[in-house]
Structures are given as structure tokens and as C-alpha cells.
């Protein structure tokens, strides 16, 4: 089976003006065929996330008119705008809405679900989205060409509604009630864009309020993950669906305001994404979705900031079903998030297609091999030969490292030290982690990762352990399959000691067997405390008791006081590794490289030397 949402790299989509004109032409034909006598452009199957969708398509039609002057569009824009202003602007408080700070103010807002009280929790983001659709449309209506699309009365009414949306979002309700960074930054963008359409004094106040909200309500509450401060997403540090969408909002905020803070924070988030993203563009994890990737919604941010930091962020695997715009199961345009298509068409940045050459603490990457490390500096995803391995689980413990008597030695008890080296066409990372086992003895786990760009060698050394230890070396999970990613339960791997692929003996949601037709996201939501879409799949996955796992035994050719484990991802050919202690430190030899793990320097940092060959 294929993963549902992870498909082709986003930078494979043509992004020339001609390509975007073809996209808009497609939207125009769908919209003109759909336009109802009342002026609605909503998809007939749309029931939720609906309050802004007709207006979103109207804004796309206005952009198409600006670029191509199709004579059919002025009437369609006028009729559909009238529909939104007449039928989709609500002023009565939605019964049961839990986030109001002031009632009965008759301010306009947009509904997530049209029926009163049916699903009021989504009204805040739906109103953000409606504000963004409105300001995009106003940008066109305020040009000389735009006068052909709407009269002064319609334009003035839309501006007044946009003012009201902003006031409802920032005064009548609690700000960012879902703790969703993408929604909150989107609201700030709406304020910054609205300010440009207002008289100078009023616009200045709105702009100042938007910047203050960003500083006080978003930036001040950033969450640290893998060394980076990130806008919190649905209560967590990062979500692989919404995080890149936040990046797009930061790009637009910088484009329209010029404020350096948006560039700084966008570049920090972009570097974080580059570090956690595999070479092949696979990623998983997040407090809202584990594997549901965005597509066109992420293009602006990944392209804009990828160019700024010099990284190939376009390798991110998007969902091609939403490659150009939000779509329903029949492929028809929805109108949701239409502003992102508008902005990416207006933006003239281009994809940076070369990998960043800078070393990143939380990633090792070369050629077709990559390791993304988590906050503990244990691998979260290992990629080699087009196969992705996740961190495995044993006895409710998750990670990558030595196991003795069921105890996994990968949780740091002190500072984790890292050394990166590139030499002779090799990229290497040495991670030294102090750990404490059940016997309360402090040990140092030294994990060496070396790649030539086609395979990954991992050598782990630790003071000698009792019992029959082994290395927990990953959960084979997925493989590249053209422009899709498919589930797998196997991978090309070799060990210098014994090697076995085990599957959990237990049954139930707490046991993940990679041979089952089940995705990580499905399993994570089954273990989450709340329903799918509201629970935290990352928290659910942490309840996993055991999983399919690669288990590698220690090598025999090692110092007597050490247990050393050695595996190679990317090839199943026999592997031979020797480890010797000498005056220079611990020397690791394979047929491909020789590495010397030297003594710590004067600051306690590990030293490492690597050269090609075994001599």
C-alpha cells in the first residue's frame, strides 16, 4: 500500500508564469460552469471549511482577469462577490461558540459550518481565511483594471466587512484559540494586508496591532525543538503539515511588511525543516497530523525561504491531489486556502535546488542518504537506498541505541556532544551521549554515523554491558516508489554481528507490526487521547509498547571492555568491522573507511578523524 499523502517533491511542479496562467484558466472554466444563479462558487460537496471558499474562487477569478482580461469574468466576479456579502457574512453570535470575549457586537465573521451551532470551534480560522480572501480581492479591485469587476459600493462594502473580520478576530474573540501557529500568523498577515487598504492613520493602527500580536502572542510563545524556536502548532512545536504552511505565512508577512523579524523567524523555521527533512523529502510527526502533507499551501514558504537560506526545501513531498489548489475527492477546485495560490503566483522567487553545504546538528546528509536526529540526538528517520526507517520501540521505550535486559540506552543524562567531519567524499557525525541504565551506572554511548552518499554505516560503542545486549537499529517503514511512497516491512541492511528483524508478539494498538496494512499516522491516532484531527498523534505514538525492529548483535572484534555494534543501511552485502584502541583513541575500520574517535578536547568535545579506505 502507498502512504496517503506523501507524493512527489513540490519543486517538480512547473512554476513559470505560463504554468500558472494554465492553472488559472482551469479554475476559470470550473468556476463559470459551477456559478449558480445566486452567485455561489462553492463546491457542491463542501460542508465544512466552507465560509470563505466562494470568496476564495472569486479572488482567483479577479487575478485571472488582471492577467488575461477574459470578458466573461467581470459578471462572474460581481455576482459571486454579491453572494458572499449577502449570504456568507454572519453577524449574529454563533450559538455555543466558546471563544467569544464580547457578545452581541454584530461584527462580521465566517462560519466553519453554515448551520448555527453545528461546529462553531472552527469559526476563528474560517474568519482568518475569509479576511485573507477579502484583502486579496481588494488588492485587485483597487487597481484601474479592478474597476471593471465591482462598483464602488461593492468595493466599499467588502472593505467594511474586512475591517469587521479583523475586529472580530482581535477584539471580540480570544486570539488564536486553537493554539495553531499557522492560523495566528495568517491573521497577522491579514492585518498587515488590510492596513494597506485603509486611510493612513487607521492603517497605521492596524499594522501596529498586527505586529504587536505577532510579538506578544506568537513569537513570545515559541516552542523549542531540535535546537530551534518555532511557532507552536496545535499545542506542539511542529507539525509536518501545518509547519510549512506557517512558513508560507511568514514569507507573505515579510513580502508585504518588510519587517526583518519575519525574515529571521522564517529562516530559522526553514533551517529546521531542512534539518528534519530526509533527502528524499519524507517526513512524519506533529501534534495534529503525522503524515498528512500540505502541497500548494507550502510552496510559497519553501520556495521563498529555501532561496534565502540556500537549501533545497522543494524536495518536501507534497500531496499532489492539492498540487495547485484545494480540491474535493472529484478533483474539483474548492476555494479553501486560495490566497496561497494567489501569493505564489505573485511571488517571483524560484526554487533553490542544491542541498545546503552547512553542517546541521540534527541532520547528516549526503547523496541519497540522510539521518534526521531528534532532540536527544538519536535518529528519528534513517534514509538509505530509498528506504525510510523510523525509530523502533521496545518495552515502551523509543529510539535507536543499545538495549540490555529490555532497557534502551538512548536517553541523555547530561549534555550530548556532537562532532561533524567531511573528508575524502565522506560525511560523518559522532554523537556522545551520557546515559544511565537500571544499574545506575553512568556510561557513554558513542555513535558514529558515516556515509559515502549511497550507504550509511553506524557504529555504536559503549562500556561493556551485562546480559546479551543488541542494537535497536530502526523500524523499516517506507520506500520510494516513483512519485509515491509505499509501506514496507524490510530494508537493505547488514550487520557485523548477528542481525534479526523482529515483530511484536503482542496484539492491539500498542503493538506496531510493519507487515500490517497500517500507517504510522493511523496507529498514532488509535493511541491518541482525542479523535483523529483533534488528538495529538505524536503523543499517541509515544504510547507504543513495541514495534517491528532491526536488532543487531555486538561484533566480536572489539576491545574487551566495550560492546560495539555495527550496521550498514543501504546494502545487504556482508559487513566486516574491526575496532581497536590505541594511543590516538578508538579506531574503527571497514572496507570503505577508517575513523578515529579521539580523546575529548579541552572543552570536553569529542574529536573525530575520517578517511576513505581501511588503511
Amino acid at each position: 500500500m502507498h502512504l496517503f499523502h506523501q507524493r512527489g517533491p513540490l519543486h517538480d511542479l512547473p512554476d513559470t508564469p505560463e504554468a500558472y496562467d494554465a492553472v488559472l484558466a482551469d479554475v476559470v472554466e470550473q468556476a463559470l460552469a459551477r456559478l449558480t444563479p445566486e452567485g455561489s462558487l462553492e463546491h457542491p460537496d463542501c460542508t465544512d471549511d466552507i465560509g470563505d471558499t466562494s470568496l476564495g474562487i472569486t479572488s482567483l477569478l479577479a487575478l485571472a482577469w488582471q492577467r488575461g482580461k477574459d470578458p466573461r469574468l467581470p459578471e462572474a466576479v460581481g455576482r459571486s462577490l454579491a453572494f458572499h456579502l449577502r449570504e456568507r457574512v454572519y453577524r449574529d453570535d454563533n450559538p455555543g461558540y466558546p471563544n467569544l470575549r464580547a457578545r452581541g457586537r454584530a461584527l462580521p465573521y465566517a462560519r466553519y459550518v453554515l448551520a448555527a451551532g453545528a461546529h462553531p470551534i472552527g469559526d476563528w480560522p474560517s474568519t482568518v481565511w475569509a479576511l485573507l480572501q477579502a484583502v486579496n480581492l481588494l488588492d485587485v479591485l483597487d487597481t484601474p483594471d479592478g474597476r471593471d469587476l465591482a462598483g464602488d459600493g461593492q468595493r466599499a462594502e467588502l472593505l467594511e466587512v474586512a475591517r469587521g473580520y479583523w475586529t472580530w478576530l482581535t477584539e471580540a474573540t480570544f486570539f488564536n484559540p486553537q493554539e495553531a501557529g499557522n492560523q495566528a500568523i495568517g491573521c497577522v498577515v491579514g492585518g498587515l494586508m488590510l492596513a494597506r487598504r485603509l486611510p493612513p492613520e487607521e492603517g497605521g493602527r492596524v499594522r501596529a496591532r498586527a505586529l504587536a500580536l505577532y510579538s506578544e502572542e506568537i513569537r513570545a510563545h515559541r516552542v523549542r525543538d531540535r535546537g530551534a524556536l518555532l511557532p507552536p502548532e496545535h499545542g506542539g512545536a511542529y507539525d509536518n503539515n501545518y509547519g510549512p504552511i506557517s512558513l508560507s505565512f511568514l514569507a507573505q508577512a515579510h513580502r508585504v511588511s518588510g519587517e526583518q523579524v519575519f525574515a529571521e523567524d522564517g529562516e530559522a523555521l526553514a533551517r529546521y525543516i531542512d534539518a528534519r527533512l530526509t533527502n528524499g523529502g519524507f517526513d512524519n510527526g506533529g501534534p495534529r497530523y503525522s503524515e498528512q502533507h500540505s502541497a500548494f499551501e507550502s510552496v510559497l514558504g519553501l520556495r521563498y525561504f529555501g532561496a534565502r537560506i540556500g537549501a533545497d526545501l522543494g524536495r518536501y513531498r507534497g500531496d499532489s491531489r492539492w498540487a495547485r489548489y484545494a480540491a474535493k475527492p472529484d478533483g474539483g477546485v474548492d476555494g479553501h486556502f486560495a490566497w496561497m495560490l494567489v501569493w505564489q503566483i505573485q511571488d517571483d522567487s524560484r526554487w533553490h535546488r542544491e542541498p545546503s553545504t552547512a553542517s546541521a546538528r540534527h541532520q547528516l546528509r549526503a547523496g541519497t542518504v540522510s539521518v534526521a536526529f531528534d532532540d536527544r540526538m538519536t535518529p528519528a528517520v534513517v534514509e538509505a537506498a530509498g528506504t525510510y526507517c523510523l525509530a523502533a520501540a521496545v518495552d515502551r521505550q523509543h529510539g535507536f541505541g543499545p538495549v540490555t535486559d529490555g532497557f534502551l540506552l538512548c536517553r541523555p543524562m547530561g549534555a550530548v556532544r556532537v562532532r561533524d567531519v567531511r573528508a575524502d567524499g565522506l560525511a560523518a557525525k559522532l554523537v556522545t551521549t551520557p546515559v544511565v541504565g537500571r544499574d545506575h551506572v553512568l556510561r557513554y554511548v558513542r555513535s558514529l554515523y558515516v556515509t559515502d552518499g549511497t550507504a550509511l554505516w553506524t557504529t555504536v560503542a559503549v562500556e561493556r554491558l551485562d546480559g546479551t545486549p543488541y542494537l535497536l537499529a530502526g523500524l523499516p517503514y517506507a520506500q520510494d516508489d516513483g512519485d509515491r511512497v509505499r509501506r514496507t516491512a524490510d530494508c537493505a541492511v547488514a550487520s557485523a554481528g548477528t542481525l534479526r528483524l523482529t515483530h511484536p508478539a503482542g496484539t492491539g494498538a500498542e503493538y506496531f507490526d510493519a507487515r500490517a496494512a497500517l500507517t504510522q499516522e493511523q496507529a498514532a491516532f488509535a493511541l491518541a487521547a482525542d479523535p483523529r484531527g483533534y488528538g495529538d498523534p505524536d503523543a499517541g505514538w509515544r504510547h507504543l509498547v513495541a514495534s517491528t525492529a532491526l536488532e543487531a548483535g555486538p561484533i566480536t572484534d572489539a576491545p574487551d571492555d566495550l560492546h560495539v555494534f555495527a550496521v550498514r543501511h543501504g546494502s545487504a552485502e556482508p559487513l566486516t568491522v574491526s575496532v581497536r584502541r590505541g594511543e590516538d583513541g578508538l579506531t574503527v575500520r571497514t572496507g570503505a573507511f577508517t575513523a578515529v574517535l579521539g580523546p575529548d578536547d579541552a572543552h570536553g568535545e569529542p574529536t573525530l578523524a575520517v578517511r576513505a579506505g581501511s588503511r
Side-chain angles (χ1 to χ4, degrees), residues 476-479 486-491 501 503 513-516 548:
Y477 179 67
Q479 286 182 329
R486 66 178 175 86
R487 286 278 286 105
T488 187
D490 201 0
C491 64
L501 179 65
H503 304 285
D513 190 327
R515 298 169 298 182
T548 293

Side-chain angles (χ1 to χ4, degrees), residues 408-481:
L408 174 60
L409 296 170
C410 75
R411 291 172 296 282
M413 186 62 69
V416 179
R417 311 295 182 116
V418 178
R419 176 74 72 179
D420 282 279
V421 172
R422 290 181 180 266
D424 289 352
L426 301 169
K429 187 185 294 285
L430 175 61
V431 179
T432 301
T433 308
V435 298
V436 174
R438 287 200 175 103
D439 56 6
H440 293 253
V441 174
L442 179 68
R443 293 178 172 85
Y444 284 87
V445 177
R446 284 178 288 180
S447 303
L448 172 66
Y449 307 90
V450 181
T451 179
D452 62 357
T454 60
L456 173 73
W457 289 264
T458 302
T459 307
V460 178
V462 63
E463 290 88 348
R464 196 159 190 87
L465 302 166
D466 296 330
T468 54
Y470 63 88
L471 179 72
L472 193 66
L475 154 63
Y477 179 67
Q479 286 182 329
D480 290 338
D481 185 16

Side-chain angles (χ1 to χ4, degrees), residues 12-26:
D12 286 351
L13 292 169
D15 61 350
T16 62
E18 295 76 16
Y20 283 131
D21 282 337
V23 173
L24 288 175
D26 169 44

Side-chain angles (χ1 to χ4, degrees), residues 144 293 443 473 512:
H293 275 38
R443 293 178 172 85
F512 188 83

Side-chain angles (χ1 to χ4, degrees), residues 289-312:
Y289 294 107
S290 289
E291 293 176 348
Q292 181 170 311
H293 275 38
S294 49
F296 80 98
E297 316 101 292
S298 302
V299 166
L300 174 65
L302 294 170
R303 192 175 66 192
Y304 187 85
F305 283 110
R308 289 183 65 92
I309 69 170
D312 57 334

Side-chain angles (χ1 to χ4, degrees), residues 371-396:
V371 186
F373 296 86
D374 63 16
D375 243 357
R376 305 176 304 181
M377 285 304 300
T378 188
V381 185
V382 172
E383 173 195 20
T387 299
Y388 305 98
C389 290
L390 307 181
V394 57
D395 291 346
R396 301 181 187 276

Side-chain angles (χ1 to χ4, degrees), residues 35-112:
L35 186 65
T36 68
E38 296 77 20
S40 173
L41 289 170
E42 292 163 357
H43 191 285
D45 294 337
C46 191
T47 56
D48 55 20
D49 260 329
I50 191 173
D52 67 298
T53 60
S54 182
L55 187 62
I57 297 181
T58 303
S59 72
L60 292 174
L61 297 183
L63 180 61
W65 163 256
Q66 192 176 48
R67 292 168 69 91
K69 302 299 183 297
D70 186 328
R72 300 173 297 172
L73 294 181
E75 181 187 2
V77 169
R79 283 174 56 195
S80 59
L81 175 55
F83 168 80
H84 179 83
L85 294 173
R86 184 181 67 250
E87 303 290 343
R88 294 296 179 257
V89 177
Y90 293 83
R91 296 180 182 274
D92 295 333
D93 294 345
N94 199 345
Y97 186 69
N99 299 315
L100 287 176
R101 300 171 59 198
R103 296 186 180 275
R105 292 190 58 181
L107 289 168
Y109 67 95
R111 285 188 178 174
Y112 179 80

